[in-house]
Amino acid sequence: MTEENVSTAREKFLNAYANLPLTVRNEIVVVLGEEPMTWNAVFLEVSQDSEKGKIILSKLKELKII
């Protein structure tokens, strides 16, 4: 993903996350390898702009979640 696409995906994710009920944020949204990740865990990775966060954003976009 290009840096512009990452930025757009990041904005879409943060907007979706902000609109989630608090209880839903503890639910699994994506599985990387064998590691299930909740919305809260994904938020931490995306907000830290980590490589893992970029991979997650790509996966969420592929799954049409964002």
Side-chain angles (χ1 to χ4, degrees):
M1 247 188 337
T2 66
E3 194 61 37
E4 185 176 320
N5 288 345
V6 169
S7 180
T8 302
R10 186 173 190 270
E11 288 175 24
K12 286 182 179 181
F13 170 78
L14 292 174
N15 187 39
Y17 181 83
N19 289 309
L20 286 175
L22 294 177
T23 55
V24 174
R25 293 180 183 183
N26 291 319
E27 295 180 7
I28 296 170
V29 65
V30 68
V31 177
L32 286 183
E34 294 186 22
E35 180 182 5
M37 301 194 70
T38 65
W39 283 94
N40 285 328
V42 171
F43 174 78
L44 292 175
E45 293 292 339
V46 170
S47 63
Q48 292 177 5
D49 201 28
S50 68
E51 284 302 314
K52 193 175 195 179
K54 291 175 184 176
I55 293 168
I56 293 167
L57 288 174
S58 177
K59 183 85 165 173
L60 291 175
K61 190 172 181 182
E62 177 184 319
L63 295 170
K64 299 184 188 221
I65 294 174
I66 56 169

